[in-house]
Amino acid sequence: MRIIKICLALIIMPLLLMITTGCKVEDYEDMKHIYYEEILTQRPDEYYVYVYRYNCTVCKTIKADIINYYKTYRKNDMPRLYVLNKGDTEHNKGINTDVEKEIDFLWTRDYREIQTFYSPCLIKVRDGQVVAAYDMKTQILKELKIIK
């Protein structure tokens, strides 16, 4: 009987730890990050990539909304959300950080053509192709159905 209790404890404790720590999303760092070259290669077939920077004022004002969406997209049957820190140039080589280099990347299938010129930016991807991009606070919140 004692062996059964020990075995159950060994099974249940790690599960409880995963459940309690996996649900804590309080900052952008707690969310699933991807790198620039991975923007078009995620699963499922339709998802969002939220591009932000730590020193971005607008990113800070909508952070709670983005985190709330991230916590609830599954139960609301909404597309998955990945995040990309535009300021992390060590891992995101090639991403545009110069406002003067604005280019249209809608419908692209080549991640190198995706040059986000503003922060924040929300990119919608379907079947490995950019189908929409939003770079204003109101547009982003409307697309995520946070505001009407």
Side-chain angles (χ1 to χ4, degrees):
M1 186 64 140
R2 185 170 183 202
I3 293 174
I4 294 173
K5 287 180 182 178
I6 292 172
C7 289
L8 284 174
L10 290 173
I11 293 170
I12 293 173
M13 291 303 286
L15 287 174
L16 288 174
L17 183 64
M18 285 183 353
I19 291 169
T20 57
T21 58
C23 296
K24 272 192 165 179
V25 178
E26 298 172 358
D27 204 347
Y28 289 131
E29 295 94 21
D30 303 327
M31 301 165 76
K32 171 66 176 152
H33 279 68
I34 61 171
Y35 297 132
Y36 178 51
E37 67 271 4
E38 300 172 320
I39 289 177
L40 300 174
T41 61
Q42 301 304 304
R43 292 284 169 235
D45 295 331
E46 182 175 271
Y47 55 90
Y48 293 112
V49 177
Y50 176 71
V51 181
Y52 73 98
R53 281 189 306 199
Y54 286 112
N55 60 351
C56 164
T57 305
V58 177
C59 300
K60 291 176 185 176
T61 64
I62 66 172
K63 180 162 87 172
D65 294 313
I66 298 300
I67 289 171
N68 187 54
Y69 179 90
Y70 186 83
K71 288 178 176 179
T72 61
Y73 71 85
R74 283 189 186 106
K75 73 177 178 184
N76 292 333
D77 199 30
M78 298 289 289
R80 179 169 183 145
L81 178 72
Y82 296 96
V83 293
L84 187 149
N85 179 1
K86 184 176 176 178
D88 181 4
T89 54
E90 178 184 340
H91 293 105
N92 296 310
K93 292 184 185 344
I95 196 165
N96 181 15
T97 56
D98 185 352
V99 175
E100 301 300 317
K101 295 182 183 175
E102 179 177 332
I103 63 170
D104 181 14
F105 55 84
L106 199 58
W107 307 113
T108 190
R109 290 185 178 276
D110 183 350
Y111 78 91
R112 293 168 294 200
E113 293 178 5
I114 300 173
Q115 297 297 324
T116 58
F117 26 90
Y118 298 111
S119 297
C121 178
L122 182 70
I123 300 168
K124 187 172 188 177
V125 178
R126 185 179 304 126
D127 298 323
Q129 181 177 34
V130 175
V131 295
Y134 309 93
D135 61 9
M136 294 178 66
K137 173 183 172 179
T138 305
Q139 292 176 336
I140 291 169
L141 296 178
K142 281 185 179 180
E143 176 61 21
L144 296 178
K145 301 197 179 11
I146 294 168
I147 62 171
K148 293 182 181 188

